[in-house]
Amino acid sequence: MAPEYAMEGLYSVKSDVFSFGILLLEIICGKRNSGFYLSEHGQSLLIYSWKLWCEGECLKLVDPILENTYTTNEVTRCIHIGLLCVQEDAEDRPTMSTVVVMLASETMTLPNPNHPAFSVGRKINKEEESTSKASNKDPSINEISVSNILPR
């Protein structure tokens, strides 16, 4: 969700660009943004992608399943475009039509991305991780059923 929408309820065409950027990064790394974290660092997909980009190690983001099946320049370009789409300031993000041109052109010079939008990471310790995995199998701790009450 674009930060301007989450924080202020503002929605624009640049909100869709933000979502596309997240989707592009998810496809490259093979993990969903909502389930991505590095427990030892508490990093979200955006924070981790930006860190790797700044270190010049962006190819570490690529899903290991894709190993030896991709062109380095194409994947690097897609990560670059993904980071351009998730910039904190909506004005700095390209339009979707510009994104399409960037994806189609191998010769177009891309601007350097700025810091991505604010993203909250989470840190999970080993106890929490094992407890959450155990509770996924049996939601009842004391063998009493759990009801979820949802409004109509």
Side-chain angles (χ1 to χ4, degrees):
M1 184 181 302
E4 64 274 10
Y5 182 70
M7 302 296 277
E8 302 169 29
L10 300 174
Y11 188 80
S12 70
V13 293
K14 298 290 182 101
S15 302
D16 289 339
V17 172
F18 183 89
S19 297
F20 179 79
I22 294 290
L23 180 64
L24 194 55
L25 293 172
E26 286 178 336
I27 290 168
I28 291 166
C29 79
K31 296 180 181 161
R32 297 180 66 189
N33 183 44
S34 61
F36 182 92
Y37 67 92
L38 294 175
S39 58
E40 68 274 10
H41 303 292
Q43 294 180 332
S44 69
L45 176 59
L46 285 183
I47 294 169
Y48 185 62
S49 301
W50 179 249
K51 178 180 166 266
L52 290 177
W53 179 263
C54 291
E55 293 172 353
E57 301 284 333
C58 66
L59 292 176
K60 287 184 179 179
L61 185 65
V62 179
D63 188 344
I65 292 174
L66 300 175
E67 194 172 339
N68 301 322
T69 63
Y70 62 88
T71 305
T72 303
N73 291 340
E74 288 178 3
V75 171
T76 302
R77 189 169 189 80
C78 287
I79 293 170
H80 192 160
I81 294 167
L83 289 171
L84 287 171
C85 292
V86 296
Q87 294 182 89
E88 189 167 14
D89 188 358
E91 293 296 319
D92 293 338
R93 296 179 210 144
T95 61
M96 274 312 294
S97 58
T98 304
V99 170
V100 170
V101 171
M102 286 190 248
L103 288 168
S105 172
E106 293 179 15
T107 58
M108 181 180 183
T109 304
L110 303 177
N112 288 326
N114 295 323
H115 192 279
F118 174 77
S119 178
V120 178
R122 62 181 184 171
K123 191 168 186 174
I124 295 181
N125 60 28
K126 297 293 180 187
E127 274 181 34
E128 236 180 273
E129 194 173 294
S130 62
T131 304
S132 68
K133 285 180 183 175
S135 65
N136 286 344
K137 293 177 186 173
D138 183 13
S140 175
I141 295 171
N142 57 2
E143 298 180 10
I144 298 173
S145 65
V146 177
S147 299
N148 290 330
I149 300 173
L150 300 172
R152 292 183 185 196

